[in-house]
Amino acid sequence: MEWDVKQLREKIQTTISENHSDQNSPISVPKVYEAICQILMELIEKDWSRTNQKYDETKPKQVFYFSMEFLLGRLLQSYLLNYQLLNTCNQAIKELGFDPEEIYYCEQDPGLGNGGLGRLAACFLDSTASLSYPGHGYGIRFRYGLFEQRIINGYQTELPDYWLKDRYPWEIRRADEAVTIQLAGHCYLKEREDGSLICLYENQEKIMAVPYDIPIVGYDNQTINTLRLWSAEPIADIEEQEEDQYYHQLEQEHSSWQISGFLYPDDSHYEGKQLRLKQQYFLVSASLQDILRKYSSISSATLPKKLVIQINDTHPSLAIPELLRILLDEKRLEWEVAWEITRKIFAYTNHTLMSEALETWPVDMFRELLPRIYMLIEEINERFCQDIWLNQPHLRQKIPSLAIIADHQIHMARLAVVGSFSVNGVAKIHSEILKTREMKDFYHLYPKRFNNKTNGISHRRWLVMVNPRLTHLISDTIGTSWVRHPRELTHLLRYTKDTFFLEQLHSIKQENKRKLAAIIHQRTGILVDDQSIFDVQIKRMHEYKRQLLNVFHILYLYNELKQNPKLDITPRTFIFAAKAAPNYYFAKEVIKLIHTVASIVNYDHTIHGKLKVVFLENYNVSLAEKIIPATDLSEQISTAGKEASGTGNMKMMMNGALTIGTLDGANIEMKNVVQKENMFIFGLKADEVYHIYQNNDYFANEVYQNDERLVRILHQLRDGLFGHQECKNIYYHLLSTNDPFFILKDFSDYVETQQLVDHSYTEKQRWLAKSLINIAHSGKFSSDQTIQEYATGIWKLRKG
Ligand SMILES: *Cc1c(COP(=O)(O)O)cnc(C)c1O
């Protein structure tokens, strides 16, 4: 941008005096924040309408990314960065006498997502705009985002996240573009005079969907795309109601507001709740109406040439039958024609292999809420099964496991595969498992549909924005062109033996660690040693992610130290952050256990502060931004075959952490680029896990009885860990379920590999070289790379 520090500072000052008539009241943090937002939004609005105008005129093919979640994080700083104004603004704020951080933290962090899936959607929007592609997001403007986590006495409690309590500066309500959503009621088919069928509805519930637009600013390219979030509101015509209608009306009003009321807090877990189904239909119905309105001047048959819709997991997969409905019932196309168009528009991203996360809806619930959509799914299913029966006789006996409707359930992943032209997994191993196991028969039916798009992260947010000192060091060393072309980070490989460079890398990490140590002290009262290894596991709390394995390692080390206080180990600080789904009992138990272990380890003077355990509450994007630049060791220890990709692994790699991990998800692709000597790989492989499940030949009891370290730990838990009775449940749960995630089986290899980490960290130069090698190869995991692959491989887009 054209401003220098002085100009921006003066602009902030004049904006403040325009906003606040009382010239005597002092300028304050909120006033500065408000002024900066205002200045920036003015700038954005100009480029935004220019971008929209350009799209209107040149009519490029566009992508629409449908997602129930967008975990955006705070936007002010990233907007400034993309406008090349971040350094200028930091300086201007300082000259006004404030701390930039304090100003940026006035912004609410909108928690409109659970974890990786929602954050991926946010990184994708950033990269799509930054690569000048015409692409936009569609989601829901939940009034309550993911709950705020408070830890009370070691237990998680959930507080509502009312993120809209102060005006959110980046959204613009577009009431004039509201659309009506219709649900429930009855529907029946009637013959028209010409013999065609018309669908008639009675007693439908009507809801208004009002769009709120958030600008998505591309990096220094004047492209501003749009994230459109829908708010559910009652239809306005309530003034003159008959008296007996009054309560009915109030009830309807209440149920309308509910639809965009809150985000369901389950990650990698599905719950068949009616309100959730309403939310999903609300999202897709509103978004499709909006899109078709934009394309009303072209014929339905040409739609697939002009737009593509990517659906983020199955949550928005109702878009498939909903578009079909519009083409049949409203555009009056023939089934074959309408189906062909529909199938050419949708591309589906699968995010999980875990059965408990696969969405299925009970037929009865579904039919009551979406009667017409149900009819259409029945017809899709009928034709699909017919086709197999007639044309794929060898698959006849597989029909029950392929059918979209089976066992009184609607299987959304099957619907998504049948109704789209592309099906992708999110890491190589994940896509392979889809083809060879989970969706094997679908793969044989539609081999060309399946492809891989390994996840990525925005290097602008997750490196340039969160780690300015490292960014400077890199740019001073290899120039700045890597910011546009992150693959050029590999130029850093020339410096792996440059002691001066490595020394600077070290000092940056140390400074980041000191900053995090200060935050830890301020929030928890725990003092941590910045010379210790910062060993970090931050992600949703889930059994498959195996935070419990990490805890077992801590207990092992503690037991060793108690036995031999002189034991020479590298001091470690174990840092956790994780939210558990509110009704996920076991996950909450593990949170409690971490706090219990912390309360024992942190205050035991006999171990001389060699171990510290820290749990930072309320994990979200803003907290991740603080922890990641300070991480030495990134824990990515999921049971192999369970983590589809992971993206936390990529963020920490990009900031110079070394990974200890299983061969799972994108860890495998990390290993392929950095080589195994620059990572710490351990544990069962995905095919070994698979075969154990198949053969049913794992006996958790045996494994633990034969390892005295495990006997000790498990008996400590069973006997109520140093007086903490609540830990008993974990012991009983683990053994009574036969350790389904192989914590006991992988324990020994994990501990050995951690011993390697311990030793490696003491070889400072070599550790730093490894750290640099990780940074140098992390450009592969920029979401720019991923989006480039989606754009050419699936979307067939040209740059705008
Ligand atoms: C990146 C990110 C995640 C995903 O982390 P994984 O380790 O891949 O599960 C979850 N939550 C937040 C806030 C994130 O920033």
Side-chain angles (χ1 to χ4, degrees), residues 34-97:
E34 187 187 63
I36 295 174
C37 292
Q38 202 173 318
I39 294 165
L40 199 58
M41 201 57 174
E42 260 173 48
L43 210 61
I44 289 172
E45 282 184 321
K46 283 195 202 111
D47 288 332
W48 203 358
S49 44
R50 264 199 291 268
T51 304
N52 284 329
Q53 210 176 333
K54 191 179 73 184
Y55 293 159
D56 285 347
E57 282 161 13
T58 61
K59 299 187 168 51
K61 186 178 184 187
Q62 308 203 39
V63 61
F64 300 99
Y65 197 82
F66 282 19
S67 178
M68 285 288 282
E69 308 188 9
F70 286 92
L71 199 49
L72 297 172
R74 293 189 164 96
L75 292 178
L76 172 53
Q77 239 184 315
S78 87
Y79 283 155
L80 288 167
L81 172 69
N82 288 3
Y83 265 106
Q84 303 267 49
L85 275 174
L86 186 53
N87 294 331
T88 313
C89 191
N90 287 340
Q91 200 51 40
I93 293 170
K94 283 183 200 156
E95 288 186 10
L96 289 167

Side-chain angles (χ1 to χ4, degrees), residues 71 109 113-120 123 146 267 455 457 461-462 537-540 544-545 619-625 628 635-636 643 645-652:
L71 199 49
D109 180 346
N114 272 286
L117 174 145
R119 183 54 231 173
L120 182 77
C123 284
L146 185 62
D267 187 73
N455 280 170
I457 55 163
R461 176 176 290 264
W462 294 108
Q537 190 172 21
I538 50 174
K539 46 185 77 251
R540 284 298 288 259
Y544 85 84
K545 291 178 182 281
Y619 184 51
N620 61 13
V621 173
S622 294
L623 182 59
E625 290 170 359
I628 288 166
E635 298 271 354
Q636 307 300 337
E643 187 76 271
S645 163
T647 50
N649 47 0
M650 302 168 185
K651 297 168 193 165
M652 289 189 252

Side-chain angles (χ1 to χ4, degrees), residues 489-490 492-497 501-502 505 653 656-658 670 673-675 677-679 766-779:
L489 285 169
T490 51
L492 290 168
L493 290 172
R494 272 179 259 149
Y495 299 87
T496 53
K497 295 200 171 75
F501 182 91
L502 295 181
L505 189 60
M653 173 199 198
L658 304 201
M670 284 172 62
V673 286
V674 303
Q675 307 295 322
E677 54 282 11
N678 298 302
M679 269 176 92
R766 290 177 67 177
W767 180 278
L768 288 166
K770 288 174 202 230
S771 165
L772 179 57
I773 289 167
N774 274 270
I775 297 167
H777 286 292
S778 68

Side-chain angles (χ1 to χ4, degrees), residues 436-668:
T436 56
R437 281 209 299 263
E438 234 57 27
M439 296 193 168
K440 179 165 155 244
D441 297 324
F442 282 107
Y443 175 59
H444 286 301
L445 282 173
Y446 317 119
K448 291 198 187 120
R449 233 171 257 194
F450 285 77
N451 65 90
N452 173 248
K453 297 287 170 283
T454 300
N455 280 170
I457 55 163
S458 164
H459 63 284
R460 285 170 292 277
R461 176 176 290 264
W462 294 108
L463 174 51
V464 181
M465 194 182 103
V466 304
N467 204 340
R469 285 198 59 196
L470 180 56
T471 300
H472 279 136
L473 174 63
I474 296 170
S475 292
D476 285 348
T477 311
I478 62 169
T480 55
S481 121
W482 67 273
V483 179
R484 240 174 248 285
H485 307 287
R487 285 279 189 150
E488 290 179 12
L489 285 169
T490 51
H491 295 170
L492 290 168
L493 290 172
R494 272 179 259 149
Y495 299 87
T496 53
K497 295 200 171 75
D498 183 325
T499 50
F500 180 66
F501 182 91
L502 295 181
E503 191 43 54
Q504 295 177 81
L505 189 60
H506 178 66
S507 103
I508 290 166
K509 182 64 81 182
Q510 285 309 118
E511 176 165 316
N512 293 337
K513 287 168 72 175
R514 282 193 293 276
K515 277 194 190 159
L516 180 60
I519 293 171
I520 290 170
H521 183 240
Q522 185 209 341
R523 297 192 186 178
T524 67
I526 301 167
L527 281 170
V528 304
D529 173 3
D530 60 34
Q531 301 299 312
S532 66
I533 303 173
F534 278 23
D535 178 331
V536 171
Q537 190 172 21
I538 50 174
K539 46 185 77 251
R540 284 298 288 259
M541 182 61 68
H542 215 294
E543 283 167 281
Y544 85 84
K545 291 178 182 281
R546 298 200 295 190
Q547 281 93 350
L548 191 56
L549 178 58
N550 189 339
V551 174
F552 278 19
H553 174 236
I554 301 171
L555 285 173
Y556 159 75
L557 287 178
Y558 180 69
N559 289 335
E560 291 294 293
L561 280 171
K562 288 305 276 181
Q563 225 158 29
N564 176 8
K566 293 219 177 74
L567 189 70
D568 181 27
I569 65 160
T570 312
R572 282 207 204 211
T573 303
F574 295 91
I575 298 167
F576 293 90
K579 286 177 181 171
N583 57 9
Y584 191 169
Y585 180 77
F586 187 69
K588 290 181 143 181
E589 295 269 294
V590 176
I591 290 178
K592 174 61 181 169
L593 176 64
I594 294 169
H595 284 87
T596 302
V597 172
S599 73
I600 295 162
V601 169
N602 294 346
Y603 303 102
D604 185 337
H605 296 291
T606 65
I607 64 166
H608 306 292
K610 283 180 186 161
L611 305 177
K612 287 283 165 71
V613 180
V614 175
F615 187 100
L616 290 170
E617 66 187 358
N618 200 36
Y619 184 51
N620 61 13
V621 173
S622 294
L623 182 59
E625 290 170 359
K626 300 262 171 264
I627 299 171
I628 288 166
T631 300
D632 292 313
L633 185 67
S634 160
E635 298 271 354
Q636 307 300 337
I637 58 177
S638 53
T639 310
K642 298 286 177 191
E643 187 76 271
S645 163
T647 50
N649 47 0
M650 302 168 185
K651 297 168 193 165
M652 289 189 252
M653 173 199 198
M654 200 173 265
N655 284 274
L658 304 201
T659 300
I660 182 165
T662 47
L663 286 175
D664 199 15
N667 295 351
I668 297 175

Side-chain angles (χ1 to χ4, degrees), residues 215-392:
I216 305 298
V217 175
Y219 179 72
D220 194 26
N221 66 354
Q222 274 144 50
T223 298
I224 318 270
N225 291 335
T226 302
L227 170 59
R228 176 158 276 198
L229 300 179
W230 297 101
S231 168
E233 299 180 11
I235 300 273
D237 65 344
I238 34 168
E239 293 104 48
E240 287 173 33
Q241 283 298 326
E242 299 292 329
E243 220 168 290
D244 64 337
Q245 283 282 300
Y246 174 65
Y247 283 103
H248 176 70
Q249 197 67 44
L250 275 187
E251 208 173 305
Q252 285 257 313
E253 210 176 297
H254 179 71
S255 91
S256 305
W257 288 114
Q258 265 194 353
I259 292 184
S260 55
F262 73 96
L263 166 77
Y264 277 92
D266 310 300
D267 187 73
S268 301
H269 189 264
Y270 141 86
E271 257 198 303
K273 291 277 171 65
Q274 199 204 37
L275 179 56
R276 169 87 176 168
L277 183 57
K278 276 193 186 182
Q279 292 181 336
Q280 295 185 351
Y281 183 69
F282 173 77
L283 166 64
V284 304
S285 170
S287 308
L288 283 174
Q289 288 186 56
D290 196 41
I291 290 169
L292 291 175
R293 180 168 58 191
K294 287 182 178 142
Y295 287 87
S296 59
S297 65
I298 67 170
S299 76
S300 301
T302 50
L303 285 173
K305 288 202 178 69
K306 286 293 171 188
L307 71 99
V308 48
I309 296 172
Q310 189 73 43
I311 55 179
N312 197 18
D313 212 320
T314 56
H315 319 145
S317 60
L318 288 172
I320 293 165
E322 174 65 3
L323 178 61
L324 184 65
R325 184 192 67 77
I326 296 169
L327 295 175
L328 290 169
D329 293 357
E330 294 174 17
K331 311 280 181 193
R332 300 181 62 173
L333 299 179
E334 297 288 324
W335 181 281
E336 285 76 11
V337 179
W339 179 243
E340 190 63 13
I341 295 170
T342 302
R343 251 197 9 85
K344 283 183 182 159
I345 285 180
F346 290 101
Y348 157 57
T349 304
N350 175 285
H351 280 273
T352 184
L353 299 164
M354 295 206 307
S355 52
E356 63 266 41
L358 288 178
E359 282 192 307
T360 61
W361 294 103
V363 163
D364 292 338
M365 179 201 289
F366 195 101
R367 193 167 34 197
E368 193 180 310
L369 199 67
L370 302 166
R372 179 61 178 149
I373 299 295
Y374 180 72
M375 283 182 189
L376 296 176
I377 292 177
E378 268 191 318
E379 183 71 22
I380 295 169
N381 184 47
E382 202 55 42
R383 286 168 184 253
F384 168 66
C385 295
Q386 283 271 354
D387 182 54
I388 297 175
W389 187 265
L390 294 175
N391 302 320
Q392 311 276 344

